[in-house]
Amino acid sequence: MLTGNAAAAWGVRLAEVDYIPVYPVTPQTEIIETLAKWISDGDMDSKLVTMDSEHSMITAAGAASATGVRAFTATSSQGLMYGFEMLYTVAGWRVPLVMVNVSRGLSSPITLEPDHNDVLAARDSGFLQIHCETCQEVLDSLLMAYRLVEDEQVLLPVIVNMDGFYLSFTREPVEVPELETVRKFLPPYQPRHAFFKASQPMAQGVAVLGGSMYSYFKYQMHLASQNALNVYKEVCGKFEKEFGRNYDTIEGYMLEDAKYVLVMTNSFSTLGKAAVNKARERGIKAGLLRLRLIRPFPVEDITGALKGRRAVAVIDQNISIGKGGILHSEIASCLYNEKQRPHLLSFIGGLGGKNISPGEFEFIFDNMIKVRGVEGEGEKTSQLLYTETEWKEMARLKGIAGKG
Amino acid sequence: MEGNGEIEGDSRKGVKEMEIERIKSIKDLPPEENVLPGTPTCAGCGGLLALRHCMKALGKRVVIVNAAGCFTLLSIYPFTPFKNSWLYTAMACAPAGAQGIRDALDILVKKSRLDPEEDLKVVVLTGDGAAYDMGLSSTSGAIYRNLDFYYICYDNEAYGNTGFQRSGATPFASKTGTTPPGRISPIGSELPKKDLFEIWNSHKPPYLATISPAHPVDLINKFKKAEQYKGPKLFIALSPCPPGWGIDSSYSVKLAKLAVDTGIWALKEAVFGEVKHTVVPKRFKPVEDYLKEQGRFAHLFKPVRREEALNKIQEMVNEYWNRHKLLL
Ligand SMILES: Cc1ncc(C[n+]2csc(CCOP(=O)(O)OP(=O)(O)O)c2C)c(N)n1
Ligand code: SF4
């Protein structure tokens, strides 16, 4: 039995990572403490350095990667924000850095429990993003991540994401693969594009003047990210062959004949799957689509999975203030040109780790069934999932605060 | 590896300084040029001149880690004036980039994935804005961790690349874009320059020195001395900046020299915290000789003479040299 954090640490250990600059932040810290202990005990041949901030940490990790070692780092929420400038910078260096983000709601108000505003804020940076539901998936995704981004057609950094508390601190049975098997799947990193050595001076991260050069390099990153879709499928196949577990870009749950589909990500998808089971008991043809690879966005896979359904409800565990659910917008853009596009509904749920209760899922399915109107029409705004009990409790707290 | 045998920085106590071979005159300057001409810096850039000398001392087996500033534009795709490697990071974090590179090179050598002959010196290159202000945390961290690296700060006493605004290095009474002398604030910058030398020296790094592009012999000898130490080797170069300082581009070296002759820029070094002055003028020139040459201090002389401010600057300089018992 391993927590999500311990599973991440095992992934790093098995990938035989050379270099790990770190900085503590809840709920990620257990990962770096686990690695530090292994290194101190001689179980892992890596160097770990405690940096002065996440900004420095991501810089050091990226620079080490640009020098030619396999590097790892981890952060969460405030830390990701603090290092934000360097996400874009390191991605532009085209280095295959792997970073774990343990999702946590962003301040303010300051909180500890998860939602995805942190990781989704990084979605345009050039980092690829793999979002995990289970502890096993965290370990496996780390191995896949190195293989994916070290491929010469990709060479971009990647974030492997898990939810704080619900996954980071939850113990689940995890199969830890043998190092020998991992070595067969993941060969050592041998950079041919970015390194520093005396006999071959190289200028990296240089400035450009003017938009045509800038556009060229930026668009190259986009194309590399698009390449990652195909490379991902290959990596997926090889991983399944070696370890017997399959992780596609998306995961369908009871999708085959489903008319009403929930779209979710990360650990709360488990709640969604339970809700699908319940809905099926009520005779509703329910299903769930879990998004796993979020950058690059697997447009074709998603479109293929959702077209022709009667209604789709995207549950965003994030909120783009002033717009609504972030993934809802992205899903909508996939479906807009589809002839058989479903009604699309948008819900905001689980912000700051708020539970999504069975009643709330029922409400969503009822909404999907009720939706009428022109083909392709859905809700125009996002709805917040919030129960009456929660509302009353909040009113009580406001009373205590003198704002009743 | 180039250079002398290294002394482990960890066994700091009892480290004895090695005898180094000093050069005596500019005729002895290393002839090699590692910064080639044709850069987009302004004519007469004092920082570039300092860097040119530093790179003579450091040689080719170097990777420069740069922070945002004027010198970021030295390497513009697809050109670089350097014979060595380069990584531009961002404004606050060049020392963290140096940490990543140094550690990675050590790992590669240790794991026999890189020939030790391929190893590089890691050199941070930033302006004063990055060094005195935004990069203070990452620099302090690198020095604290005893990172084996060089830091060259070209100090033009303001944010130069953005057009000369006040930084922590801006001296009292300087005009800058954000401290313009006016009716309410006739003096310009009201705050004295931060003492970065003392801030860095409080970490007791193996080697720390101030340098000047007008004193290349002193500069080269300092690099020669620094080479024996493993750990942080830090250099602050006062760097005349013609557009920001309001001087003719042919005046840079003269100004750099006047800064030393008036006692405004003290040339010194510190080994594990022990400070020693390396160039002490026999007779100090009045600070006015230095100030009146520069547009950024013109408001102290015209339309009215700001006697109080001028006295204050002279007193600050006197106080410094008195404190070090070097004012004759
Ligand atoms: C985080 C961040 N803030 C602001 C800037 C804008 N900026 C670019 S160069 C520069 C000035 C740097 O000043 P200094 O370190 O003194 O170097 P100089 O420009 O004088 O060479 C500034 C403020 C930036 N690049 N990054
Ligand atoms: S602005 Fe000053 S420091 Fe910058 S390049 Fe010009 S002279 Fe050099």
mmCIF file with all atom_site columns, all heavy atoms in Angstrom, chain A residues 18-19 45 47 52 198-199 201-202 204-205 207, chain B residues 75 77 85-86 88 93 103 111 113 118 137-138:
data_model
loop_
_atom_site.group_PDB
_atom_site.id
_atom_site.type_symbol
_atom_site.label_atom_id
_atom_site.label_alt_id
_atom_site.label_comp_id
_atom_site.label_asym_id
_atom_site.label_entity_id
_atom_site.label_seq_id
_atom_site.pdbx_PDB_ins_code
_atom_site.Cartn_x
_atom_site.Cartn_y
_atom_site.Cartn_z
_atom_site.occupancy
_atom_site.B_iso_or_equiv
_atom_site.pdbx_formal_charge
_atom_site.auth_seq_id
_atom_site.auth_comp_id
_atom_site.auth_asym_id
_atom_site.auth_atom_id
_atom_site.pdbx_PDB_model_num
ATOM 1   N N   . ASP A 1 18  ? 18.838 11.498 -12.040 1.00 0.00 ? 18  ASP A N   1
ATOM 2   C CA  . ASP A 1 18  ? 20.161 11.934 -11.568 1.00 0.00 ? 18  ASP A CA  1
ATOM 3   C C   . ASP A 1 18  ? 20.087 13.089 -10.573 1.00 0.00 ? 18  ASP A C   1
ATOM 4   O O   . ASP A 1 18  ? 20.905 13.201 -9.673  1.00 0.00 ? 18  ASP A O   1
ATOM 5   C CB  . ASP A 1 18  ? 21.004 12.443 -12.754 1.00 0.00 ? 18  ASP A CB  1
ATOM 6   C CG  . ASP A 1 18  ? 21.300 11.362 -13.770 1.00 0.00 ? 18  ASP A CG  1
ATOM 7   O OD1 . ASP A 1 18  ? 21.860 10.332 -13.381 1.00 0.00 ? 18  ASP A OD1 1
ATOM 8   O OD2 . ASP A 1 18  ? 20.970 11.564 -14.962 1.00 0.00 ? 18  ASP A OD2 1
ATOM 9   N N   . TYR A 1 19  ? 19.104 13.974 -10.787 1.00 0.00 ? 19  TYR A N   1
ATOM 10  C CA  . TYR A 1 19  ? 19.186 15.269 -10.101 1.00 0.00 ? 19  TYR A CA  1
ATOM 11  C C   . TYR A 1 19  ? 17.808 15.769 -9.683  1.00 0.00 ? 19  TYR A C   1
ATOM 12  O O   . TYR A 1 19  ? 16.870 15.764 -10.498 1.00 0.00 ? 19  TYR A O   1
ATOM 13  C CB  . TYR A 1 19  ? 19.844 16.287 -11.037 1.00 0.00 ? 19  TYR A CB  1
ATOM 14  C CG  . TYR A 1 19  ? 20.133 17.625 -10.389 1.00 0.00 ? 19  TYR A CG  1
ATOM 15  C CD1 . TYR A 1 19  ? 20.855 17.692 -9.202  1.00 0.00 ? 19  TYR A CD1 1
ATOM 16  C CD2 . TYR A 1 19  ? 19.686 18.819 -10.957 1.00 0.00 ? 19  TYR A CD2 1
ATOM 17  C CE1 . TYR A 1 19  ? 21.124 18.915 -8.603  1.00 0.00 ? 19  TYR A CE1 1
ATOM 18  C CE2 . TYR A 1 19  ? 19.959 20.046 -10.375 1.00 0.00 ? 19  TYR A CE2 1
ATOM 19  C CZ  . TYR A 1 19  ? 20.684 20.087 -9.195  1.00 0.00 ? 19  TYR A CZ  1
ATOM 20  O OH  . TYR A 1 19  ? 20.948 21.297 -8.611  1.00 0.00 ? 19  TYR A OH  1
ATOM 21  N N   . ASP A 1 45  ? 21.053 6.649  -6.313  1.00 0.00 ? 45  ASP A N   1
ATOM 22  C CA  . ASP A 1 45  ? 22.259 7.384  -6.663  1.00 0.00 ? 45  ASP A CA  1
ATOM 23  C C   . ASP A 1 45  ? 21.892 8.689  -7.373  1.00 0.00 ? 45  ASP A C   1
ATOM 24  O O   . ASP A 1 45  ? 22.032 8.815  -8.578  1.00 0.00 ? 45  ASP A O   1
ATOM 25  C CB  . ASP A 1 45  ? 23.152 6.507  -7.559  1.00 0.00 ? 45  ASP A CB  1
ATOM 26  C CG  . ASP A 1 45  ? 24.495 7.167  -7.832  1.00 0.00 ? 45  ASP A CG  1
ATOM 27  O OD1 . ASP A 1 45  ? 24.829 8.143  -7.129  1.00 0.00 ? 45  ASP A OD1 1
ATOM 28  O OD2 . ASP A 1 45  ? 25.209 6.704  -8.746  1.00 0.00 ? 45  ASP A OD2 1
ATOM 29  N N   . LYS A 1 47  ? 21.469 13.248 -6.770  1.00 0.00 ? 47  LYS A N   1
ATOM 30  C CA  . LYS A 1 47  ? 21.785 14.390 -5.924  1.00 0.00 ? 47  LYS A CA  1
ATOM 31  C C   . LYS A 1 47  ? 20.521 15.211 -5.710  1.00 0.00 ? 47  LYS A C   1
ATOM 32  O O   . LYS A 1 47  ? 19.812 15.536 -6.666  1.00 0.00 ? 47  LYS A O   1
ATOM 33  C CB  . LYS A 1 47  ? 22.873 15.249 -6.577  1.00 0.00 ? 47  LYS A CB  1
ATOM 34  C CG  . LYS A 1 47  ? 23.193 16.445 -5.705  1.00 0.00 ? 47  LYS A CG  1
ATOM 35  C CD  . LYS A 1 47  ? 24.441 17.173 -6.078  1.00 0.00 ? 47  LYS A CD  1
ATOM 36  C CE  . LYS A 1 47  ? 24.512 18.364 -5.108  1.00 0.00 ? 47  LYS A CE  1
ATOM 37  N NZ  . LYS A 1 47  ? 25.762 19.035 -5.061  1.00 0.00 ? 47  LYS A NZ  1
ATOM 38  N N   . ASP A 1 52  ? 16.264 27.756 -2.723  1.00 0.00 ? 52  ASP A N   1
ATOM 39  C CA  . ASP A 1 52  ? 15.751 28.877 -1.942  1.00 0.00 ? 52  ASP A CA  1
ATOM 40  C C   . ASP A 1 52  ? 14.331 29.279 -2.344  1.00 0.00 ? 52  ASP A C   1
ATOM 41  O O   . ASP A 1 52  ? 13.730 30.128 -1.691  1.00 0.00 ? 52  ASP A O   1
ATOM 42  C CB  . ASP A 1 52  ? 16.691 30.079 -2.097  1.00 0.00 ? 52  ASP A CB  1
ATOM 43  C CG  . ASP A 1 52  ? 17.082 30.310 -3.542  1.00 0.00 ? 52  ASP A CG  1
ATOM 44  O OD1 . ASP A 1 52  ? 17.962 29.588 -4.034  1.00 0.00 ? 52  ASP A OD1 1
ATOM 45  O OD2 . ASP A 1 52  ? 16.475 31.179 -4.186  1.00 0.00 ? 52  ASP A OD2 1
ATOM 46  N N   . ALA A 1 198 ? 33.033 21.250 -22.923 1.00 0.00 ? 198 ALA A N   1
ATOM 47  C CA  . ALA A 1 198 ? 34.070 22.184 -23.364 1.00 0.00 ? 198 ALA A CA  1
ATOM 48  C C   . ALA A 1 198 ? 34.330 22.117 -24.864 1.00 0.00 ? 198 ALA A C   1
ATOM 49  O O   . ALA A 1 198 ? 34.532 23.142 -25.519 1.00 0.00 ? 198 ALA A O   1
ATOM 50  C CB  . ALA A 1 198 ? 35.356 21.920 -22.582 1.00 0.00 ? 198 ALA A CB  1
ATOM 51  N N   . SER A 1 199 ? 34.297 20.898 -25.433 1.00 0.00 ? 199 SER A N   1
ATOM 52  C CA  . SER A 1 199 ? 34.698 20.764 -26.834 1.00 0.00 ? 199 SER A CA  1
ATOM 53  C C   . SER A 1 199 ? 33.636 21.255 -27.812 1.00 0.00 ? 199 SER A C   1
ATOM 54  O O   . SER A 1 199 ? 33.903 21.406 -28.994 1.00 0.00 ? 199 SER A O   1
ATOM 55  C CB  . SER A 1 199 ? 35.023 19.297 -27.132 1.00 0.00 ? 199 SER A CB  1
ATOM 56  O OG  . SER A 1 199 ? 33.862 18.516 -26.957 1.00 0.00 ? 199 SER A OG  1
ATOM 57  N N   . PRO A 1 201 ? 31.089 24.252 -27.559 1.00 0.00 ? 201 PRO A N   1
ATOM 58  C CA  . PRO A 1 201 ? 30.376 25.366 -26.922 1.00 0.00 ? 201 PRO A CA  1
ATOM 59  C C   . PRO A 1 201 ? 28.983 25.531 -27.530 1.00 0.00 ? 201 PRO A C   1
ATOM 60  O O   . PRO A 1 201 ? 28.810 25.354 -28.737 1.00 0.00 ? 201 PRO A O   1
ATOM 61  C CB  . PRO A 1 201 ? 31.247 26.581 -27.235 1.00 0.00 ? 201 PRO A CB  1
ATOM 62  C CG  . PRO A 1 201 ? 32.561 26.050 -27.663 1.00 0.00 ? 201 PRO A CG  1
ATOM 63  C CD  . PRO A 1 201 ? 32.334 24.674 -28.210 1.00 0.00 ? 201 PRO A CD  1
ATOM 64  N N   . MET A 1 202 ? 28.010 25.838 -26.694 1.00 0.00 ? 202 MET A N   1
ATOM 65  C CA  . MET A 1 202 ? 26.645 25.967 -27.176 1.00 0.00 ? 202 MET A CA  1
ATOM 66  C C   . MET A 1 202 ? 25.948 27.123 -26.461 1.00 0.00 ? 202 MET A C   1
ATOM 67  O O   . MET A 1 202 ? 26.092 27.260 -25.252 1.00 0.00 ? 202 MET A O   1
ATOM 68  C CB  . MET A 1 202 ? 25.889 24.660 -26.892 1.00 0.00 ? 202 MET A CB  1
ATOM 69  C CG  . MET A 1 202 ? 24.539 24.602 -27.574 1.00 0.00 ? 202 MET A CG  1
ATOM 70  S SD  . MET A 1 202 ? 23.557 23.153 -27.128 1.00 0.00 ? 202 MET A SD  1
ATOM 71  C CE  . MET A 1 202 ? 24.517 21.801 -27.737 1.00 0.00 ? 202 MET A CE  1
ATOM 72  N N   . GLN A 1 204 ? 22.505 28.449 -25.302 1.00 0.00 ? 204 GLN A N   1
ATOM 73  C CA  . GLN A 1 204 ? 21.118 28.005 -25.126 1.00 0.00 ? 204 GLN A CA  1
ATOM 74  C C   . GLN A 1 204 ? 20.284 29.151 -24.551 1.00 0.00 ? 204 GLN A C   1
ATOM 75  O O   . GLN A 1 204 ? 20.784 30.004 -23.838 1.00 0.00 ? 204 GLN A O   1
ATOM 76  C CB  . GLN A 1 204 ? 21.051 26.810 -24.173 1.00 0.00 ? 204 GLN A CB  1
ATOM 77  C CG  . GLN A 1 204 ? 21.746 25.557 -24.678 1.00 0.00 ? 204 GLN A CG  1
ATOM 78  C CD  . GLN A 1 204 ? 21.370 24.332 -23.831 1.00 0.00 ? 204 GLN A CD  1
ATOM 79  O OE1 . GLN A 1 204 ? 20.210 24.076 -23.544 1.00 0.00 ? 204 GLN A OE1 1
ATOM 80  N NE2 . GLN A 1 204 ? 22.383 23.565 -23.427 1.00 0.00 ? 204 GLN A NE2 1
ATOM 81  N N   . GLY A 1 205 ? 18.997 29.113 -24.852 1.00 0.00 ? 205 GLY A N   1
ATOM 82  C CA  . GLY A 1 205 ? 18.079 30.107 -24.290 1.00 0.00 ? 205 GLY A CA  1
ATOM 83  C C   . GLY A 1 205 ? 18.352 31.518 -24.782 1.00 0.00 ? 205 GLY A C   1
ATOM 84  O O   . GLY A 1 205 ? 18.088 32.483 -24.077 1.00 0.00 ? 205 GLY A O   1
ATOM 85  N N   . ALA A 1 207 ? 18.298 35.138 -26.890 1.00 0.00 ? 207 ALA A N   1
ATOM 86  C CA  . ALA A 1 207 ? 17.240 36.078 -27.258 1.00 0.00 ? 207 ALA A CA  1
ATOM 87  C C   . ALA A 1 207 ? 16.973 36.020 -28.756 1.00 0.00 ? 207 ALA A C   1
ATOM 88  O O   . ALA A 1 207 ? 17.819 35.574 -29.529 1.00 0.00 ? 207 ALA A O   1
ATOM 89  C CB  . ALA A 1 207 ? 17.671 37.492 -26.863 1.00 0.00 ? 207 ALA A CB  1
ATOM 90  N N   . SER B 2 75  ? 23.908 37.624 -26.800 1.00 0.00 ? 75  SER B N   1
ATOM 91  C CA  . SER B 2 75  ? 23.638 36.432 -27.614 1.00 0.00 ? 75  SER B CA  1
ATOM 92  C C   . SER B 2 75  ? 22.238 36.528 -28.198 1.00 0.00 ? 75  SER B C   1
ATOM 93  O O   . SER B 2 75  ? 21.257 36.254 -27.522 1.00 0.00 ? 75  SER B O   1
ATOM 94  C CB  . SER B 2 75  ? 23.755 35.165 -26.765 1.00 0.00 ? 75  SER B CB  1
ATOM 95  O OG  . SER B 2 75  ? 25.095 34.932 -26.413 1.00 0.00 ? 75  SER B OG  1
ATOM 96  N N   . TYR B 2 77  ? 19.964 35.205 -31.373 1.00 0.00 ? 77  TYR B N   1
ATOM 97  C CA  . TYR B 2 77  ? 19.923 34.192 -32.417 1.00 0.00 ? 77  TYR B CA  1
ATOM 98  C C   . TYR B 2 77  ? 20.168 34.805 -33.792 1.00 0.00 ? 77  TYR B C   1
ATOM 99  O O   . TYR B 2 77  ? 19.553 35.810 -34.113 1.00 0.00 ? 77  TYR B O   1
ATOM 100 C CB  . TYR B 2 77  ? 18.566 33.479 -32.388 1.00 0.00 ? 77  TYR B CB  1
ATOM 101 C CG  . TYR B 2 77  ? 18.502 32.279 -33.271 1.00 0.00 ? 77  TYR B CG  1
ATOM 102 C CD1 . TYR B 2 77  ? 18.965 31.046 -32.826 1.00 0.00 ? 77  TYR B CD1 1
ATOM 103 C CD2 . TYR B 2 77  ? 17.982 32.382 -34.560 1.00 0.00 ? 77  TYR B CD2 1
ATOM 104 C CE1 . TYR B 2 77  ? 18.927 29.941 -33.657 1.00 0.00 ? 77  TYR B CE1 1
ATOM 105 C CE2 . TYR B 2 77  ? 17.944 31.272 -35.389 1.00 0.00 ? 77  TYR B CE2 1
ATOM 106 C CZ  . TYR B 2 77  ? 18.418 30.061 -34.935 1.00 0.00 ? 77  TYR B CZ  1
ATOM 107 O OH  . TYR B 2 77  ? 18.379 28.966 -35.745 1.00 0.00 ? 77  TYR B OH  1
ATOM 108 N N   . SER B 2 85  ? 30.233 28.637 -23.834 1.00 0.00 ? 85  SER B N   1
ATOM 109 C CA  . SER B 2 85  ? 28.797 28.355 -23.823 1.00 0.00 ? 85  SER B CA  1
ATOM 110 C C   . SER B 2 85  ? 28.026 29.410 -23.040 1.00 0.00 ? 85  SER B C   1
ATOM 111 O O   . SER B 2 85  ? 28.600 30.216 -22.303 1.00 0.00 ? 85  SER B O   1
ATOM 112 C CB  . SER B 2 85  ? 28.539 26.969 -23.227 1.00 0.00 ? 85  SER B CB  1
ATOM 113 O OG  . SER B 2 85  ? 29.021 25.974 -24.084 1.00 0.00 ? 85  SER B OG  1
ATOM 114 N N   . TRP B 2 86  ? 26.711 29.347 -23.192 1.00 0.00 ? 86  TRP B N   1
ATOM 115 C CA  . TRP B 2 86  ? 25.842 30.421 -22.678 1.00 0.00 ? 86  TRP B CA  1
ATOM 116 C C   . TRP B 2 86  ? 24.466 29.859 -22.370 1.00 0.00 ? 86  TRP B C   1
ATOM 117 O O   . TRP B 2 86  ? 23.945 29.025 -23.129 1.00 0.00 ? 86  TRP B O   1
ATOM 118 C CB  . TRP B 2 86  ? 25.734 31.487 -23.776 1.00 0.00 ? 86  TRP B CB  1
ATOM 119 C CG  . TRP B 2 86  ? 24.724 32.570 -23.593 1.00 0.00 ? 86  TRP B CG  1
ATOM 120 C CD1 . TRP B 2 86  ? 23.404 32.538 -23.957 1.00 0.00 ? 86  TRP B CD1 1
ATOM 121 C CD2 . TRP B 2 86  ? 24.956 33.871 -23.032 1.00 0.00 ? 86  TRP B CD2 1
ATOM 122 N NE1 . TRP B 2 86  ? 22.807 33.737 -23.666 1.00 0.00 ? 86  TRP B NE1 1
ATOM 123 C CE2 . TRP B 2 86  ? 23.738 34.577 -23.096 1.00 0.00 ? 86  TRP B CE2 1
ATOM 124 C CE3 . TRP B 2 86  ? 26.080 34.510 -22.492 1.00 0.00 ? 86  TRP B CE3 1
ATOM 125 C CZ2 . TRP B 2 86  ? 23.603 35.888 -22.633 1.00 0.00 ? 86  TRP B CZ2 1
ATOM 126 C CZ3 . TRP B 2 86  ? 25.938 35.820 -22.041 1.00 0.00 ? 86  TRP B CZ3 1
ATOM 127 C CH2 . TRP B 2 86  ? 24.716 36.494 -22.115 1.00 0.00 ? 86  TRP B CH2 1
ATOM 128 N N   . TYR B 2 88  ? 20.822 31.787 -21.095 1.00 0.00 ? 88  TYR B N   1
ATOM 129 C CA  . TYR B 2 88  ? 20.031 32.881 -20.524 1.00 0.00 ? 88  TYR B CA  1
ATOM 130 C C   . TYR B 2 88  ? 18.916 32.272 -19.685 1.00 0.00 ? 88  TYR B C   1
ATOM 131 O O   . TYR B 2 88  ? 18.192 31.389 -20.148 1.00 0.00 ? 88  TYR B O   1
ATOM 132 C CB  . TYR B 2 88  ? 19.444 33.772 -21.631 1.00 0.00 ? 88  TYR B CB  1
ATOM 133 C CG  . TYR B 2 88  ? 18.390 34.696 -21.076 1.00 0.00 ? 88  TYR B CG  1
ATOM 134 C CD1 . TYR B 2 88  ? 18.748 35.703 -20.182 1.00 0.00 ? 88  TYR B CD1 1
ATOM 135 C CD2 . TYR B 2 88  ? 17.043 34.516 -21.367 1.00 0.00 ? 88  TYR B CD2 1
ATOM 136 C CE1 . TYR B 2 88  ? 17.783 36.513 -19.604 1.00 0.00 ? 88  TYR B CE1 1
ATOM 137 C CE2 . TYR B 2 88  ? 16.080 35.331 -20.801 1.00 0.00 ? 88  TYR B CE2 1
ATOM 138 C CZ  . TYR B 2 88  ? 16.450 36.331 -19.915 1.00 0.00 ? 88  TYR B CZ  1
ATOM 139 O OH  . TYR B 2 88  ? 15.507 37.118 -19.336 1.00 0.00 ? 88  TYR B OH  1
ATOM 140 N N   . CYS B 2 93  ? 17.142 34.535 -11.348 1.00 0.00 ? 93  CYS B N   1
ATOM 141 C CA  . CYS B 2 93  ? 17.550 33.174 -10.994 1.00 0.00 ? 93  CYS B CA  1
ATOM 142 C C   . CYS B 2 93  ? 18.805 32.649 -11.675 1.00 0.00 ? 93  CYS B C   1
ATOM 143 O O   . CYS B 2 93  ? 19.005 31.437 -11.712 1.00 0.00 ? 93  CYS B O   1
ATOM 144 C CB  . CYS B 2 93  ? 16.388 32.239 -11.296 1.00 0.00 ? 93  CYS B CB  1
ATOM 145 S SG  . CYS B 2 93  ? 15.874 32.321 -13.013 1.00 0.00 ? 93  CYS B SG  1
ATOM 146 N N   . ASP B 2 103 ? 25.886 21.209 -10.760 1.00 0.00 ? 103 ASP B N   1
ATOM 147 C CA  . ASP B 2 103 ? 25.533 19.897 -10.215 1.00 0.00 ? 103 ASP B CA  1
ATOM 148 C C   . ASP B 2 103 ? 25.474 18.853 -11.321 1.00 0.00 ? 103 ASP B C   1
ATOM 149 O O   . ASP B 2 103 ? 25.954 17.734 -11.161 1.00 0.00 ? 103 ASP B O   1
ATOM 150 C CB  . ASP B 2 103 ? 24.188 19.965 -9.479  1.00 0.00 ? 103 ASP B CB  1
ATOM 151 C CG  . ASP B 2 103 ? 24.305 20.694 -8.137  1.00 0.00 ? 103 ASP B CG  1
ATOM 152 O OD1 . ASP B 2 103 ? 25.438 20.790 -7.614  1.00 0.00 ? 103 ASP B OD1 1
ATOM 153 O OD2 . ASP B 2 103 ? 23.277 21.160 -7.616  1.00 0.00 ? 103 ASP B OD2 1
ATOM 154 N N   . LYS B 2 111 ? 29.554 9.990  -12.748 1.00 0.00 ? 111 LYS B N   1
ATOM 155 C CA  . LYS B 2 111 ? 28.981 8.758  -13.294 1.00 0.00 ? 111 LYS B CA  1
ATOM 156 C C   . LYS B 2 111 ? 29.663 8.345  -14.610 1.00 0.00 ? 111 LYS B C   1
ATOM 157 O O   . LYS B 2 111 ? 29.125 7.526  -15.359 1.00 0.00 ? 111 LYS B O   1
ATOM 158 C CB  . LYS B 2 111 ? 27.471 8.912  -13.496 1.00 0.00 ? 111 LYS B CB  1
ATOM 159 C CG  . LYS B 2 111 ? 26.705 9.085  -12.175 1.00 0.00 ? 111 LYS B CG  1
ATOM 160 C CD  . LYS B 2 111 ? 25.186 9.029  -12.361 1.00 0.00 ? 111 LYS B CD  1
ATOM 161 C CE  . LYS B 2 111 ? 24.463 9.077  -11.024 1.00 0.00 ? 111 LYS B CE  1
ATOM 162 N NZ  . LYS B 2 111 ? 22.989 9.174  -11.147 1.00 0.00 ? 111 LYS B NZ  1
ATOM 163 N N   . ARG B 2 113 ? 29.926 9.777  -17.403 1.00 0.00 ? 113 ARG B N   1
ATOM 164 C CA  . ARG B 2 113 ? 29.210 10.047 -18.647 1.00 0.00 ? 113 ARG B CA  1
ATOM 165 C C   . ARG B 2 113 ? 29.784 11.286 -19.336 1.00 0.00 ? 113 ARG B C   1
ATOM 166 O O   . ARG B 2 113 ? 29.351 11.662 -20.425 1.00 0.00 ? 113 ARG B O   1
ATOM 167 C CB  . ARG B 2 113 ? 27.708 10.222 -18.369 1.00 0.00 ? 113 ARG B CB  1
ATOM 168 C CG  . ARG B 2 113 ? 26.998 8.867  -18.280 1.00 0.00 ? 113 ARG B CG  1
ATOM 169 C CD  . ARG B 2 113 ? 25.813 8.835  -17.340 1.00 0.00 ? 113 ARG B CD  1
ATOM 170 N NE  . ARG B 2 113 ? 24.788 9.803  -17.617 1.00 0.00 ? 113 ARG B NE  1
ATOM 171 C CZ  . ARG B 2 113 ? 23.794 10.082 -16.758 1.00 0.00 ? 113 ARG B CZ  1
ATOM 172 N NH1 . ARG B 2 113 ? 23.708 9.444  -15.588 1.00 0.00 ? 113 ARG B NH1 1
ATOM 173 N NH2 . ARG B 2 113 ? 22.887 10.970 -17.045 1.00 0.00 ? 113 ARG B NH2 1
ATOM 174 N N   . GLU B 2 118 ? 36.098 17.693 -20.360 1.00 0.00 ? 118 GLU B N   1
ATOM 175 C CA  . GLU B 2 118 ? 34.982 18.454 -20.938 1.00 0.00 ? 118 GLU B CA  1
ATOM 176 C C   . GLU B 2 118 ? 34.309 19.364 -19.917 1.00 0.00 ? 118 GLU B C   1
ATOM 177 O O   . GLU B 2 118 ? 33.361 20.075 -20.223 1.00 0.00 ? 118 GLU B O   1
ATOM 178 C CB  . GLU B 2 118 ? 33.925 17.487 -21.496 1.00 0.00 ? 118 GLU B CB  1
ATOM 179 C CG  . GLU B 2 118 ? 34.393 16.661 -22.682 1.00 0.00 ? 118 GLU B CG  1
ATOM 180 C CD  . GLU B 2 118 ? 34.309 17.447 -23.979 1.00 0.00 ? 118 GLU B CD  1
ATOM 181 O OE1 . GLU B 2 118 ? 34.179 18.685 -23.931 1.00 0.00 ? 118 GLU B OE1 1
ATOM 182 O OE2 . GLU B 2 118 ? 34.381 16.811 -25.047 1.00 0.00 ? 118 GLU B OE2 1
ATOM 183 N N   . SER B 2 137 ? 17.943 36.605 -3.311  1.00 0.00 ? 137 SER B N   1
ATOM 184 C CA  . SER B 2 137 ? 17.607 35.322 -2.672  1.00 0.00 ? 137 SER B CA  1
ATOM 185 C C   . SER B 2 137 ? 18.335 34.162 -3.347  1.00 0.00 ? 137 SER B C   1
ATOM 186 O O   . SER B 2 137 ? 18.939 33.322 -2.676  1.00 0.00 ? 137 SER B O   1
ATOM 187 C CB  . SER B 2 137 ? 16.088 35.118 -2.730  1.00 0.00 ? 137 SER B CB  1
ATOM 188 O OG  . SER B 2 137 ? 15.756 33.774 -2.647  1.00 0.00 ? 137 SER B OG  1
ATOM 189 N N   . SER B 2 138 ? 18.308 34.133 -4.691  1.00 0.00 ? 138 SER B N   1
ATOM 190 C CA  . SER B 2 138 ? 18.945 32.996 -5.366  1.00 0.00 ? 138 SER B CA  1
ATOM 191 C C   . SER B 2 138 ? 20.467 33.059 -5.216  1.00 0.00 ? 138 SER B C   1
ATOM 192 O O   . SER B 2 138 ? 21.132 32.032 -5.135  1.00 0.00 ? 138 SER B O   1
ATOM 193 C CB  . SER B 2 138 ? 18.534 32.924 -6.837  1.00 0.00 ? 138 SER B CB  1
ATOM 194 O OG  . SER B 2 138 ? 19.028 34.017 -7.560  1.00 0.00 ? 138 SER B OG  1
#
